[in-house]
């Protein structure tokens, strides 16, 4: 791997981490605003939304969708391998946050919120798998439409 790819990977990883922080913070703030607007009213799902770290779920769903898309596009023989390293490993590796998702599920369990921990784990597992499958399918279709045949 060339020094340029290594440098690109490092920069992309940092940018991915910044993107993760931004998306997580914005989703969490939107949930908090919505909860604040519902204060004093009973609304189905409000407690669940407060208990589940939706920012982390949003980050990991989009990361898996984008990584699946990248993997689908990379199936084309003419796809440059440096893009996988810089975008896939660098940016999306810095963006996705599996360890944070596990830590949040553990915190929910330790807080005695087993149901919320289970919902979090199920949403993360099923949702990210589905997002990766959809991303790969779309990526392979786009790659074929651009004239490349998947390997």
């Amino acid at each position: 791997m060339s020094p340029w790819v290594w440098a690109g990977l490092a920069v992309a990883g940092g940018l991915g981490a910044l993107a993760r922080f931004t998306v997580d913070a914005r989703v969490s703030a939107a949930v908090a605003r919505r909860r604040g607007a519902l204060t004093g009213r009973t609304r189905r799902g409000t407690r669940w939304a407060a208990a589940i770290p939706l920012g982390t779920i949003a980050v990991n769903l989009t990361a898996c969708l984008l990584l699946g898309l990248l993997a689908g596009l990379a199936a084309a023989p003419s796809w440059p391998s440096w893009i996988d390293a810089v975008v896939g490993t660098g940016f999306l590796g810095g963006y996705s946050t599996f360890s944070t998702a596990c830590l949040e599920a553990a915190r929910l369990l330790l807080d005695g919120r087993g149901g919320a921990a289970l919902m979090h784990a199920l949403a993360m597992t099923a949702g990210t798998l589905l997002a990766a499958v959809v991303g790969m399918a779309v990526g392979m279709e786009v790659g074929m439409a651009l004239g490349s045949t998947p390997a």
Side-chain angles (χ1 to χ4, degrees), residues 17-143:
L18 288 171
R20 173 182 65 212
F21 179 80
T22 302
V23 170
D24 189 0
R26 288 190 179 189
V27 169
S28 297
V31 169
R33 277 193 309 274
R34 179 161 171 78
R35 277 186 25 219
L38 296 174
T39 302
R41 293 188 285 165
T42 303
R43 182 119 191 205
R44 185 181 180 112
T46 303
R47 182 179 156 152
W48 178 84
I52 303 294
L54 296 175
T56 303
I57 291 174
V59 165
N60 284 336
L61 287 174
T62 56
C64 288
L65 179 70
L66 293 171
L67 190 57
L69 180 65
L70 182 65
L73 289 169
S78 61
W79 187 259
S81 63
W82 67 266
I83 294 176
D84 296 336
V86 173
V87 177
T89 304
F91 182 80
L92 293 173
Y95 177 67
S96 65
T97 178
F98 180 76
S99 58
T100 301
C102 292
L103 180 65
E104 288 171 342
R107 284 183 180 153
L108 290 170
L109 279 174
L110 292 173
D111 285 346
R113 298 187 291 177
L118 180 62
M119 290 300 295
H120 176 65
L122 290 174
M124 224 19 116
T125 304
T128 54
L129 177 61
L130 180 62
V133 168
V134 169
M136 286 182 76
V138 170
M140 290 171 69
E141 288 296 320
V142 169

